[in-house]
Amino acid sequence: VALCLGGFVIAAAFVPLPWALFLLCFSLLLQVDRALALLACWAIAKTPKAFHWSIELIRVRPNWSLRRSCWSEITVINWTWHNPPGFEDDERSYILEIDRLCVRLQLFSILGALGNRRAIQVKMVCVEGVRFNTQRNEEALLNLWEALHLDDGANEATIV
């Protein structure tokens, strides 16, 4: 955002004000995908489980039609669920990495899900480049169970 505002100041010195405003709006529009990703990561960190995520972009291509045959698309690019504190911090310090997650859905069905607990109408879910990594730390705790705040012993007994 600071880069956009700096560009606006420079552009305002060389181009007329309407064009400078147009350039500012256009550059901010290009940053919306990044801002949505930052907002999602911030919001999930504020939940009781305080997940540590990083997302590069969230791209929303809305279709505002009320017809059932029209679908909107939400794409999440480079989503990483990082290890909780107490685990190694290196290139493999993640629980889950997804290169691209694409969901085709009806946007208006989200309102029904929030207000009336109805199902969200989803047509397609596409996931590319999924990497799942579990590891134990020095105290022999599993990163997945620690991130979910679950008891390690009870969960192993359930799986085995």
Side-chain angles (χ1 to χ4, degrees):
V1 173
L3 182 62
C4 293
L5 292 176
F8 175 70
V9 170
I10 292 170
F14 296 109
V15 296
L17 186 60
W19 281 107
L21 288 174
F22 171 76
L23 290 173
L24 175 68
C25 292
F26 183 71
S27 62
L28 289 176
L29 183 63
L30 294 176
Q31 298 298 321
V32 167
D33 297 342
R34 218 172 286 288
L36 278 175
L38 291 172
L39 180 64
C41 294
W42 173 82
I44 198 68
K46 298 297 179 190
T47 63
K49 298 212 184 227
F51 296 126
H52 179 52
W53 289 358
S54 63
I55 300 172
E56 185 178 330
L57 297 172
I58 297 179
R59 194 172 303 139
V60 179
R61 293 192 320 184
N63 186 335
W64 300 109
S65 174
L66 294 173
R67 293 185 300 164
R68 292 199 173 269
S69 62
C70 296
W71 301 92
S72 298
E73 200 168 273
I74 299 173
T75 305
V76 179
I77 305 291
N78 292 335
W79 176 13
T80 303
W81 182 8
H82 297 280
N83 276 337
F87 288 85
E88 293 179 19
D89 191 18
D90 58 6
E91 68 276 350
R92 292 192 41 97
S93 66
Y94 60 86
I95 298 169
L96 181 68
E97 278 188 338
I98 299 175
D99 292 338
R100 183 174 166 266
L101 169 69
C102 182
V103 179
R104 192 170 294 157
L105 51 84
Q106 288 182 346
L107 279 183
F108 289 110
S109 69
I110 295 174
L111 297 175
L114 294 174
N116 302 326
R117 294 184 169 231
R118 293 187 186 140
I120 296 175
Q121 302 297 317
V122 177
K123 182 177 184 179
M124 178 197 72
V125 175
C126 176
V127 183
E128 296 176 359
V130 178
R131 289 170 298 286
F132 181 69
N133 179 40
T134 58
Q135 64 185 30
R136 294 195 177 274
N137 63 2
E138 292 80 29
E139 293 90 37
L141 298 173
L142 193 67
N143 62 350
L144 176 63
W145 303 141
E146 284 297 305
L148 294 173
H149 301 288
L150 297 174
D151 182 35
D152 195 7
N155 291 310
E156 274 186 16
T158 304
I159 293 173
V160 176

